[in-house]
Amino acid sequence: MSQYDVIVVGAGFSGAVMAERFASQQNKKVLVIEQRPHIAGNCYDYTDDSGITVHHYGPHLFHTNKENVWQYLSQFTQWTPYEHKVLGSIDGKLVPIPFNLNTLYQLYPDGQAQEIEALLVKHYGAGGKVPILELRKSKFVALQQLAELVYQKFFVNYTTKQWGCSPEDISPEVTARVPIVVSRDDRYFHDKYQAIPSQGYTQLIGNILKHDNIEVRLNIDATTLLRLNCKTNKVIFEEHEFAGKLVFTGMLDQLFEYTEGELPYRSLQFDFQTIDKKEFQPSTTVNYPNEHAYTRITEFKHILQQQSDKTVIVKEYPQDYDRHDPQKNIPYYPIFNAENQQRIDVYKKRIEGFVNVISAGRLANYKYYNMDDAVENALCLSCQVMKSREGLM
Ligand code: UDP
C-alpha cells in the first residue's frame, strides 16, 4: 500500500486545484510530482532584480465570468485589479485591439467611420461582438470592405506567425477570441472579474498547495516513478500497483509513449530584455501583426503598476513544438483540427480504460484553456470524482 491516496502529475493550476480538493475535502494524502524546478506551470512568475514581476512563460492576465472560480481562488490570494489593454502597430500607428469603434475612428476619416459604425450597430447591435470570420461573410459591401481591412491588417499575418497557417485553417474559435467590438470599450477582455494575484501566480499556486496533506516533489520526471500497465490497465508507482487516484495533467501522447502518434502543438521562444529606461511602450502589450518575426511585446511593469528605473519586456516568437529540441519543447498551444481531435480522442479512450486515472487540464484535454477554464475544469472534475462511488476509495 502506498502512503499516498492521490498522485497528481503537474503543479500548474489544474494539478494544484485537484490536489487541494482531495486534500481538504476528503482528507486524502496527496503527492504532487512536477518535472520543472518550480510550481505554477506556465503561470510561473518571479520578481527580478529591478523589482518587476516577470511572467516566465509569457504574459498571464487573469479574467473570468465564472463566479465559482473567482470565489475559490479568492481564498488563496488578494487581487490587484487590472484591465488588460493591447495596442496594435498598424501602418505606423498604435491603435486599440480588439478592433473597436475607437480603432475604426483612428483608421478611417470621420464621415466614413460614422457610416460604418451605423452599419455595425444595425447588424450586430450596440456593444455586439463579431468574429472576423463572421464579419467577412457580411452581404453589405461597406462591411465586407471593413472585414477585408481588419482581416488583412490585424489577423492574417499575426495568425500566420502564431499558427503557421491562415485564420481559415485553424478552428474558428481561435480568432473569435479577439472579436470586432461594436463599442468604445478598449479593454482586451470584457469579463466581470479582471485582476492579477497581488503576490503573483506562483504565490497563489503555492497557497493552494499549502496543505498538511499535500507533498510536492519538484524536478521529477513522472515517468521515472510511474507507468501504466496497458495489459492490466493498472497504474504502477515505484514498481507497485497503485490503487489510489492518479491525476494526470501532462500530455497524453507522452503518457502512452506516442503509440497512437504524436499530438502537434505550437511553441514559443521568449526574448526577455531588461532596458535601462522607465517605460518602453504605452500599454502592457503591443501586437505587431505585420512587422517583425515576433507577434507581440509585453512590458511587465504595467501589469502591477510597479515603479522602477528599469523595465522588462518580452518578445514572443512562435514556432513549431519539437519534443527533441530543448529550444522548442514546451507545448504552449494545442492545434485542434479534425485530425488532431481524432488522435486525442483515441488517447482519451485509452485513458478511460484506467478507472483510477483522471486526466485534467489544458495539455491532457488538448484544449485552449484560459486559466479560469483550467480551474473550473479541475473543480468540476474533483467534484464528480468525489461524488462517485470510486471517489470514496
Ligand atoms: N489574433 C490576431 N491578431 C491579433 C490578436 C490575435 O490575428 O492582433 C488572432 C491569432 O490567431 C491569435 C488568436 O487571435 O492566436 C487569439 O489571440 P489571443 O490574444 O487570445 O491569444 P493568446 O493570448 O492566447 O496567445
Side-chain angles (χ1 to χ4, degrees), residues 183-231:
S183 79
R184 295 270 183 175
D185 190 342
D186 277 342
R187 296 172 307 162
Y188 203 63
F189 308 114
H190 301 101
D191 304 54
K192 177 171 176 193
Y193 300 109
Q194 304 191 35
I196 306 295
S198 301
Q199 305 303 319
Y201 291 98
T202 310
Q203 177 83 276
L204 161 57
I205 291 177
N207 289 343
I208 297 175
L209 289 167
K210 200 184 294 165
H211 192 288
D212 286 347
N213 288 345
I214 301 179
E215 177 188 331
V216 179
R217 290 195 213 163
L218 299 177
N219 288 310
I220 296 193
D221 175 351
T223 57
T224 60
L225 298 180
L226 273 168
R227 70 192 155 79
L228 300 182
N229 183 332
C230 291
K231 292 203 180 91

Side-chain angles (χ1 to χ4, degrees), residues 3-208:
Q3 65 186 110
Y4 304 106
D5 303 308
V6 179
I7 297 174
V8 176
V9 175
F13 259 122
S14 303
V17 172
M18 294 294 283
E20 188 280 331
R21 290 287 84 188
F22 283 113
S24 73
Q25 302 301 300
Q26 289 202 313
N27 199 25
K28 300 295 184 198
K29 298 272 178 259
V30 185
L31 171 67
V32 179
I33 306 170
E34 169 56 55
Q35 64 176 352
R36 287 173 171 167
H38 58 75
I39 59 164
N42 288 350
C43 305
Y44 172 67
D45 56 10
Y46 59 92
T47 308
D48 85 337
D49 295 343
S50 44
I52 296 166
T53 306
V54 173
H55 298 182
H56 188 67
Y57 301 94
H60 282 72
L61 298 318
F62 188 82
H63 56 100
T64 191
N65 279 323
K66 301 174 203 292
E67 201 66 44
N68 63 330
V69 169
W70 179 253
Q71 298 304 338
Y72 173 78
L73 291 179
S74 298
Q75 301 172 83
F76 303 101
T77 187
Q78 294 192 317
W79 299 97
T80 298
Y82 171 74
E83 294 187 325
H84 191 44
K85 298 235 169 102
V86 175
L87 295 171
S89 170
I90 307 290
D91 294 342
K93 285 188 197 167
L94 291 183
V95 300
I97 290 184
F99 188 98
N100 62 54
L101 297 181
N102 291 326
T103 324
L104 177 72
Y105 279 84
Q106 284 188 36
L107 294 180
Y108 282 83
D110 271 5
Q112 212 181 337
Q114 275 162 11
E115 280 171 30
I116 296 173
E117 176 178 356
L119 276 172
L120 285 169
V121 171
K122 185 169 168 209
H123 294 287
Y124 303 103
K129 292 176 190 169
V130 49
I132 182 62
L133 297 179
E134 281 302 308
L135 189 64
R136 287 191 102 200
K137 293 183 195 151
S138 171
K139 293 194 276 306
F140 299 91
V141 175
L143 290 183
Q144 273 171 14
Q145 285 169 347
L146 172 73
E148 202 45 34
L149 177 134
V150 176
Y151 180 84
Q152 292 300 341
K153 292 195 186 287
F154 291 78
F155 282 94
V156 71
N157 296 327
Y158 188 106
T159 301
T160 304
K161 277 194 265 189
Q162 177 72 13
W163 296 97
C165 62
S166 68
E168 295 77 28
D169 296 326
I170 49 171
S171 165
E173 292 157 51
V174 175
T175 44
R177 289 167 63 92
V178 189
I180 285 91
V181 181
V182 190
S183 79
R184 295 270 183 175
D185 190 342
D186 277 342
R187 296 172 307 162
Y188 203 63
F189 308 114
H190 301 101
D191 304 54
K192 177 171 176 193
Y193 300 109
Q194 304 191 35
I196 306 295
S198 301
Q199 305 303 319
Y201 291 98
T202 310
Q203 177 83 276
L204 161 57
I205 291 177
N207 289 343
I208 297 175

Side-chain angles (χ1 to χ4, degrees), residues 268-281:
L268 294 168
Q269 238 187 68
F270 293 108
D271 175 17
F272 287 92
Q273 294 171 19
T274 301
I275 297 171
D276 221 351
K277 61 176 174 183
K278 282 210 158 110
E279 185 176 288
F280 178 81
Q281 62 189 27

